[in-house]
Amino acid sequence: MGREVEVVVIGAGQAGLAAAHSLRRYFEPETGFVVFDHNPRPGGAWQHRWPTLTFKTVNGVYQLPDMPVPTPEESAPVAEVIPEYFAEYERAFDLRVQRPVSVRAVESLPDKRLEVETDRGVWTARALINATGTWERPFWPRYRGQETFRGLQLHTAQYRGPEQFTGRRVAVVGGGISAIQHLMEIRPTAASTHWITRREPQWRDGEFNPDRGREAVAMVEERVRRGLRPRSVISVTGIPLTPEVRAAREAGVLDRLPMFDRIEPDGAVWADGRFIEFDTILWATGFRAALDHLAPLGLRGPRGGIAMDGTRVAADPRVHLVGYGPSASTIGANRAGRAAVREIRELLAT
Ligand SMILES: Cc1cc2nc3c(=O)[nH]c(=O)nc-3n(C[C@H](O)[C@H](O)[C@H](O)COP(=O)(O)OP(=O)(O)OC[C@H]3O[C@@H](n4cnc5c(N)ncnc54)[C@H](O)[C@@H]3O)c2cc1C
């Protein structure tokens, strides 16, 4: 089945829905624009987050345009509340997300249209908004000896809460908020925990300052403008020292070790010869942008990233990436969705 539309949106997380909400003002759903999402139900990546990630422990979820997020109990899991909110949003604005639909490849046609190949047929469009997030591309670094490890290795993407770690000796690798939350949850019932990071963690004291937030976003923006791989916004804002994090530091839960030199069957060895025994490695090492389906467009440059101008791919004005680099937060995704639609309307008018 082949269909022609003006704009295809790939992904119905915060970024895709914000873009669709803007598109809905100018185009008809299904004939003017279409949204594809790989997940079987609304919620984007939130539906896969671990049950112990609640409104108390999450960083802060910013509402989608024109509809407030419900104010649930602090103990409510985001994986339940946000998918319901997204479902309501899709209904209220008649966004008609098509799911489950996987986009396999996007190619450029000789007539300058884009061909979007999915597992449910082929669509063509004049412009594309890519909002595929990062959840589907967990990043597993490789270390010497990793294949010899006899214990359990898992990634944040597979974390389901502390029960999995009861009685285990756990090494948590990674310097971000996920690693800290895992450690704080696991420590009370694990036999032991160790926190291992490449760099010294950057703690952020005091209230979040919007100027520092803007500075951090600008730094990530500058990287992607130069065609470098984006860093997460949190990697430049630092880790907030909440009362819980302070207490965990005082209790020794967040004493950090530098990176090991190699992994052995029952633990790891450091450059100074120290050996620490553990039976579980939890890789809290983040995610990468899920962009494999865009490979046929040849957007990646020699510096490993895609050079961007705002949300627009510098080398191809038909393609916008939202929820990418500086817009990889719920608030950033909203702005990016709006900005992408504004530029696409200008492009289509020429
Ligand atoms: C553990 C964790 C906690 C976070 N906490 C916060 C927080 O508290 N506050 C905050 O602002 N941000 C937070 N973030 C960042 C947050 O994920 C983003 O801000 C935002 O929710 C991501 O939205 P998105 O629309 O870009 O991606 P997603 O929510 O990942 O949505 C992408 C959608 O695209 C679909 N998709 C992917 N590939 C394809 C394909 N080929 N074909 C079709 N569909 C496809 C996916 O199925 C998915 O539904 C967190 C991230 C993580 C990993």
Side-chain angles (χ1 to χ4, degrees), residues 11 13-15 37-39 44-46 49 58-60 101 103 136 329-330:
Q14 182 99 9
D37 192 73
H38 174 74
N39 272 302
W46 293 109
R49 303 261 152 87
V58 81
N59 224 2
V101 177
V103 173
E136 300 187 12
S329 69
T330 47

Side-chain angles (χ1 to χ4, degrees), residues 284-334:
T285 41
F287 297 80
R288 297 287 184 264
L291 299 176
D292 290 354
H293 53 286
L294 302 184
L297 295 174
L299 304 176
R300 247 180 231 291
R303 308 180 85 175
I306 297 175
M308 303 292 298
D309 184 356
T311 61
R312 176 162 42 90
V313 172
D316 191 334
R318 298 168 300 177
V319 182
H320 285 251
L321 307 184
V322 296
Y324 176 80
S327 66
S329 69
T330 47
I331 188 166
N334 278 2

Side-chain angles (χ1 to χ4, degrees), residues 10-17 36-39 41 43-50 53 57-62 86 101-104 130-136 156 178 181 287 290 293 322-324 327-333:
I10 313 176
Q14 182 99 9
L17 292 185
F36 298 127
D37 192 73
H38 174 74
N39 272 302
R41 61 188 193 104
W46 293 109
Q47 64 195 280
H48 302 297
R49 303 261 152 87
W50 51 95
L53 189 66
T57 51
V58 81
N59 224 2
V61 180
Y62 196 77
F86 279 17
V101 177
S102 278
V103 173
R104 292 181 177 142
N130 191 85
T132 46
T134 58
W135 187 256
E136 300 187 12
T156 291
S178 300
Q181 290 189 354
F287 297 80
H293 53 286
V322 296
Y324 176 80
S327 66
S329 69
T330 47
I331 188 166

Side-chain angles (χ1 to χ4, degrees), residues 228-302:
L228 295 164
R229 283 178 196 278
R231 284 175 64 190
S232 68
V233 173
I234 199 76
S235 72
V236 272
T237 57
I239 301 160
L241 275 170
T242 62
E244 291 79 11
V245 171
R246 273 181 211 283
R249 284 185 81 190
E250 277 157 26
V253 176
L254 301 178
D255 291 346
R256 164 259 179 192
L257 290 167
M259 213 55 224
F260 40 64
D261 180 56
R262 65 176 187 279
I263 299 175
E264 300 218 324
D266 301 308
V269 177
W270 273 255
D272 60 7
R274 170 173 38 170
F275 172 73
I276 296 181
E277 221 177 320
F278 43 80
D279 57 25
T280 306
I281 307 176
L282 175 53
W283 297 97
T285 41
F287 297 80
R288 297 287 184 264
L291 299 176
D292 290 354
H293 53 286
L294 302 184
L297 295 174
L299 304 176
R300 247 180 231 291

Side-chain angles (χ1 to χ4, degrees), residues 24 28-29 33 89-97:
R24 187 70 184 83
E28 281 302 309
F33 77 96
Y89 194 82
E90 291 176 18
R91 270 194 302 276
F93 294 100
D94 190 25
L95 301 178
R96 298 187 217 169
V97 175

